[in-house]
Coordinates of all heavy atoms in Angstrom, one line a residue:
K1362 N -8.5 0.2 -11.5 CA -9.4 -0.5 -10.7 C -9.0 -2.0 -10.7 O -9.2 -2.6 -9.6 CB -10.8 -0.4 -11.3 CG -11.9 -1.1 -10.6 CD -12.1 -0.7 -9.2 CE -12.6 0.7 -9.0 NZ -12.8 1.1 -7.6
F1363 N -8.6 -2.5 -11.8 CA -8.1 -3.9 -11.8 C -7.0 -4.2 -10.8 O -7.0 -5.2 -10.1 CB -7.7 -4.3 -13.2 CG -7.1 -5.6 -13.4 CD1 -7.9 -6.8 -13.4 CD2 -5.7 -5.8 -13.6 CE1 -7.3 -8.0 -13.6 CE2 -5.1 -7.1 -13.8 CZ -6.0 -8.2 -13.8
R1364 N -6.0 -3.3 -10.8 CA -4.9 -3.4 -9.9 C -5.4 -3.3 -8.4 O -4.9 -4.0 -7.5 CB -3.8 -2.3 -10.2 CG -3.1 -2.5 -11.5 CD -2.1 -1.4 -11.7 NE -1.1 -1.3 -10.6 CZ -0.7 -0.2 -10.1 NH1 -1.1 0.9 -10.6 NH2 0.2 -0.2 -9.1
Q1365 N -6.3 -2.3 -8.2 CA -6.9 -2.2 -6.8 C -7.5 -3.4 -6.3 O -7.4 -3.9 -5.2 CB -7.8 -1.0 -6.8 CG -8.4 -0.7 -5.4 CD -9.6 0.2 -5.5 OE1 -10.6 -0.1 -6.2 NE2 -9.6 1.3 -4.8
I1366 N -8.3 -4.1 -7.2 CA -9.0 -5.3 -6.9 C -8.0 -6.4 -6.5 O -8.1 -7.1 -5.5 CB -9.9 -5.8 -8.0 CG1 -11.1 -4.8 -8.2 CG2 -10.4 -7.2 -7.8 CD1 -11.9 -5.0 -9.4
N1367 N -7.0 -6.5 -7.3 CA -6.0 -7.6 -7.1 C -5.2 -7.3 -5.8 O -4.9 -8.2 -5.0 CB -5.0 -7.7 -8.3 CG -5.5 -8.6 -9.3 OD1 -5.5 -9.9 -9.1 ND2 -6.0 -8.1 -10.4
R1368 N -4.9 -6.0 -5.5 CA -4.2 -5.7 -4.3 C -5.0 -6.1 -3.1 O -4.5 -6.6 -2.1 CB -3.8 -4.2 -4.3 CG -3.2 -3.7 -3.0 CD -1.8 -4.4 -2.8 NE -1.1 -3.7 -1.6 CZ -0.3 -4.4 -0.9 NH1 0.0 -5.7 -1.1 NH2 0.3 -3.8 0.1
F1369 N -6.3 -5.8 -3.2 CA -7.2 -6.1 -2.1 C -7.2 -7.6 -1.9 O -7.2 -8.1 -0.7 CB -8.6 -5.6 -2.4 CG -9.7 -6.0 -1.4 CD1 -9.6 -5.5 -0.1 CD2 -10.7 -6.9 -1.8 CE1 -10.6 -5.8 0.8 CE2 -11.7 -7.2 -0.9 CZ -11.6 -6.7 0.4
L1370 N -7.3 -8.4 -3.0 CA -7.4 -9.8 -2.8 C -6.1 -10.4 -2.3 O -6.1 -11.4 -1.6 CB -7.7 -10.5 -4.2 CG -9.1 -10.1 -4.7 CD1 -9.4 -10.9 -6.0 CD2 -10.2 -10.5 -3.7
E1371 N -5.0 -9.8 -2.6 CA -3.7 -10.2 -2.0 C -3.7 -10.1 -0.5 O -3.3 -11.0 0.2 CB -2.5 -9.4 -2.5 CG -2.2 -9.7 -4.0 CD -1.2 -8.7 -4.5 OE1 -0.6 -7.9 -3.7 OE2 -0.9 -8.6 -5.7
M1372 N -4.3 -9.0 0.0 CA -4.4 -8.8 1.4 C -5.3 -9.7 2.1 O -5.1 -10.1 3.2 CB -4.7 -7.3 1.7 CG -3.7 -6.3 1.3 SD -4.1 -4.6 1.5 CE -2.6 -3.8 1.3
V1373 N -6.4 -10.0 1.4 CA -7.4 -11.0 1.9 C -6.8 -12.4 2.0 O -6.9 -13.1 3.0 CB -8.7 -11.0 1.1 CG1 -9.6 -12.1 1.6 CG2 -9.4 -9.7 1.2
S1374 N -6.0 -12.8 0.9 CA -5.4 -14.1 0.8 C -4.5 -14.4 2.0 O -4.4 -15.5 2.5 CB -4.7 -14.2 -0.5 OG -5.5 -14.1 -1.6
D1375 N -3.8 -13.3 2.4 CA -2.9 -13.5 3.6 C -3.6 -13.9 4.9 O -2.9 -14.5 5.7 CB -2.1 -12.2 3.8 CG -1.1 -11.9 2.7 OD1 -0.8 -12.8 1.9 OD2 -0.7 -10.7 2.6
V1376 N -4.8 -13.5 5.0 CA -5.5 -13.7 6.3 C -6.6 -14.8 6.2 O -7.2 -15.1 7.2 CB -6.1 -12.5 6.9 CG1 -5.1 -11.4 7.2 CG2 -7.1 -11.9 5.9
I1377 N -6.7 -15.5 5.1 CA -7.6 -16.6 5.0 C -7.4 -17.7 6.1 O -8.3 -18.2 6.7 CB -7.6 -17.2 3.6 CG1 -8.3 -16.3 2.6 CG2 -8.3 -18.6 3.6 CD1 -8.2 -16.8 1.1
P1378 N -6.1 -18.0 6.4 CA -5.9 -19.0 7.4 C -6.4 -18.6 8.8 O -6.6 -19.5 9.7 CB -4.4 -19.2 7.5 CG -3.9 -18.7 6.1 CD -4.9 -17.7 5.7
E1379 N -6.7 -17.3 9.0 CA -7.2 -16.8 10.3 C -8.7 -17.0 10.5 O -9.2 -16.8 11.6 CB -6.8 -15.3 10.5 CG -5.3 -15.0 10.3 CD -4.4 -15.6 11.3 OE1 -4.9 -15.9 12.4 OE2 -3.2 -15.7 11.1

Side-chain angles (χ1 to χ4, degrees):
K1362 178 60 69 176
F1363 175 74
R1364 290 180 56 219
Q1365 181 194 54
I1366 290 169
N1367 272 287
R1368 176 61 173 154
F1369 175 68
L1370 294 183
E1371 288 172 12
M1372 293 178 168
V1373 174
S1374 297
D1375 290 344
V1376 295
I1377 288 177
E1379 307 292 341

